[in-house]
Amino acid sequence: MSLIATRPGPGAARAYRFPQVVRRTAAGGQVVAAHLPGQNLAVALLLLDGGAGREPVGKEGLGAVLAKALEEGTAQRDATAYALAIEALGTELATGLDWDSFQVSVQVPVDRLTAAVELLAEAVRTPRLDPADVLRVRDDEATALRMDWANPGPRADAVLRAELFGAQHRWGRPLYGDPGSVAALEVDDVTVFHSEWFIRPGTLVVAGDLERIDLDALAATAFAGAGGGPVERGGPIDVPLAGQRRIILVDRPGSVQSTLRLGHPSPHRAHPDHVPMTLAGTVLGGAFTSRLNHLIREVRGYTYGIRGDFASSRRFGRFAVSSGVQTAVTAPALVESVGEISRTQLTGVTEEELEVARSWRAGQLSVELQSPRAIAAALTTLVVHDLPDDYHARLREQLLAATVEDVSAAAATYLHPESLTMVIEGDAAVIRDELVASGLGEVADHT
């Protein structure tokens, strides 16, 4: 009996229409909203320019600790009273942190939105930040990171980031810090970071039925007590490519698997070639049907999965490939992966591959951007990256209109196989000789 079947072709991408975007200045801050007629749930999200990129070097993890500390009570209520108040509205305080922003949001029925935003603003503007609570949260975060870093992957990720962007820069260190950086944080570090970035008005993002929401009144609630002028956001960072490929070994004695992390810098999020670059990454490694997954998983059987794609923030980006393979096939898997990246860079993509990538990416929009929370997240993208209000409305058409020539040109321009930094976390004593013999690049031990 054969289990092999012909792979089905791509279907037509579902139609999608992004809701109308409304912008206004109110109560000393900016409001960006999307009208969702008839939607009973609404989301309010306070977007602050206090992402991980604002953390001082050596103080990595401040944002993550502060996010948890916001739940420990406010100047008006202790932790129990605050928890009861927000639970009475049937919601929770959801926090998010990335390189460019800190986000705090609530999702409630429309008639409870004002009350929920009052509690959100209370936690953001006037958190209790009791020293004992801050230290307990810090220690919990450090413990969680130690547990995470005991697994394969986080060390390799950190080494690759440091090699690509430089450990002397904040963006060359882990997004959430490491066990050591978080454990070393002091109460004053947290309170100063809050005073610098969480008192500023920020942007209020709202997704809901705007006919039932008073945006001006909501803004007055969200921005009450806020102050401070605009801050310098900084332009794209010019990150040079490596002059040659190199392999960095992160020793994990006795490991039966090797963790592969390959990467190089790439353009920032608002780059005009973002769409064809994304599609090139999708064909190469960004989907289950990708070239890398087909070759390394299906043909060679080296891994359960491998992924390669472009990721970007406001000031920088990176192309990266990640996988885990059995120790015995570390070198072959690495050689095959680099070869597939090189082939894509040299020869581009085919119409058949691109048709699948276009259909999938465009079709995802109708699935991913349905809920008020997803719409609010899409609005934050407009704000953080200075994108036009019609960006999401036009995105589907841009994806579907991308040609083989466009995407192949992006692959040729933004893939740099000759500049890859390849971090391998595994049993160095077992895999070093084969990696040296592969001829892919100089092999160095991480210290």
Side-chain angles (χ1 to χ4, degrees):
M1 177 188 296
S2 173
L3 297 179
I4 299 175
T6 301
R7 178 182 293 173
R14 298 178 183 178
Y16 177 71
R17 183 178 181 182
F18 196 78
Q20 176 188 355
V21 178
V22 175
R23 287 183 186 252
R24 68 177 64 177
T25 300
Q30 300 296 317
V31 179
V32 179
H35 182 38
L36 309 178
Q39 175 63 256
N40 192 45
L41 278 180
V43 167
L45 183 152
L46 188 59
L47 181 67
L48 302 170
D49 193 345
R54 297 294 189 186
E55 297 171 351
V57 172
K59 304 291 185 181
E60 298 83 28
L62 272 173
V65 171
L66 183 51
K68 294 293 178 64
L70 294 182
E71 303 173 6
E72 299 296 325
T74 69
Q76 294 84 359
R77 318 165 206 249
D78 62 21
T80 300
Y82 185 83
L84 290 173
I86 205 158
E87 286 175 7
L89 297 176
T91 187
E92 62 180 354
L93 207 63
T95 58
L97 174 75
D98 56 28
W99 289 107
D100 305 311
S101 68
F102 190 102
Q103 306 167 19
V104 189
S105 65
V106 287
Q107 177 174 270
V108 290
V110 174
D111 58 2
R112 301 179 189 175
L113 187 60
T114 299
V117 170
E118 288 178 358
L119 288 174
L120 181 154
E122 182 180 316
V124 171
R125 310 302 189 188
T126 60
R128 183 168 295 235
L129 297 183
D130 179 86
D133 291 335
V134 172
L135 293 176
R136 175 172 47 79
V137 168
R138 176 203 68 184
D139 292 344
D140 287 347
E141 286 297 295
T143 298
L145 280 174
R146 280 193 291 271
M147 294 173 63
D148 186 41
W149 280 58
N151 297 314
R155 280 204 300 163
D157 290 331
V159 172
L160 178 61
R161 177 164 290 280
E163 290 293 328
L164 296 186
F165 301 112
Q168 73 274 24
H169 303 300
R170 176 59 187 94
W171 50 88
R173 300 186 177 206
L175 175 62
Y176 300 110
D178 59 48
S181 71
V182 172
L185 294 175
E186 300 290 349
V187 173
D188 285 350
D189 297 325
V190 177
T191 56
V192 168
F193 190 73
H194 176 269
S195 67
E196 287 180 341
W197 302 108
F198 282 56
I199 305 302
R200 299 177 187 275
T203 300
L204 180 65
V205 174
V206 180
D209 188 341
L210 299 185
E211 292 183 356
R212 300 165 59 193
I213 298 172
D214 186 337
L215 290 179
D216 292 327
L218 211 60
T221 300
F223 301 140
V231 295
E232 175 58 44
R233 291 170 56 138
I237 297 166
D238 184 18
V239 184
L241 292 165
Q244 60 184 5
R245 284 196 300 257
R246 61 191 301 248
I247 298 172
I248 300 173
L249 267 176
V250 178
D251 193 18
R252 192 177 180 85
S255 178
V256 298
Q257 263 194 300
S258 293
T259 298
L260 277 54
R261 299 290 189 266
L262 292 64
H264 61 65
S266 66
H268 62 288
R269 176 62 177 80
H271 194 279
D273 286 339
H274 177 74
V275 167
M277 191 167 60
T278 297
L279 287 169
T282 302
V283 170
L284 174 58
F288 189 79
T289 56
S290 70
R291 289 180 172 184
L292 280 171
N293 203 55
H294 176 71
L295 175 62
I296 307 300
R297 173 191 159 101
E298 304 295 337
V299 177
R300 303 301 185 211
Y302 291 158
T303 182
Y304 283 114
I306 182 170
R307 184 172 184 85
D309 57 11
F310 292 93
S312 52
S313 64
R314 186 165 63 205
R315 305 188 67 191
F316 59 87
R318 64 99 183 105
F319 169 77
V321 173
S322 61
S323 187
V325 300
Q326 289 185 353
T327 297
V329 298
T330 302
L334 193 60
V335 169
E336 296 272 19
S337 298
V338 173
E340 197 61 54
I341 298 169
S342 298
R343 181 171 78 90
T344 303
Q345 193 264 345
L346 288 171
T347 66
V349 303
T350 67
E351 177 60 39
E352 182 181 11
E353 291 171 320
L354 182 55
E355 185 180 5
V356 173
R358 282 188 304 233
S359 174
W360 180 56
R361 287 289 183 187
Q364 275 186 309
L365 297 177
S366 62
V367 177
E368 293 179 346
L369 298 180
Q370 289 190 54
S371 69
R373 192 172 289 282
I375 297 295
L379 294 178
T380 67
T381 301
L382 304 183
V383 176
V384 170
H385 302 291
D386 295 320
L387 298 172
D389 287 352
D390 64 350
Y391 174 80
H392 293 292
R394 294 186 294 108
L395 183 56
R396 179 179 182 274
E397 285 67 32
Q398 289 181 329
L399 287 165
L400 293 175
T403 66
V404 168
E405 291 74 22
D406 297 333
V407 177
S408 295
T413 303
Y414 302 113
L415 289 175
H416 302 282
E418 74 288 350
S419 298
L420 284 168
T421 296
M422 297 165 281
V423 177
I424 314 299
E425 182 181 3
D427 193 332
V430 175
I431 62 180
R432 180 185 287 104
D433 289 348
E434 287 194 6
L435 290 173
V436 171
S438 71
L440 288 176
E442 174 191 353
V443 178
D445 293 305
H446 174 67
T447 55

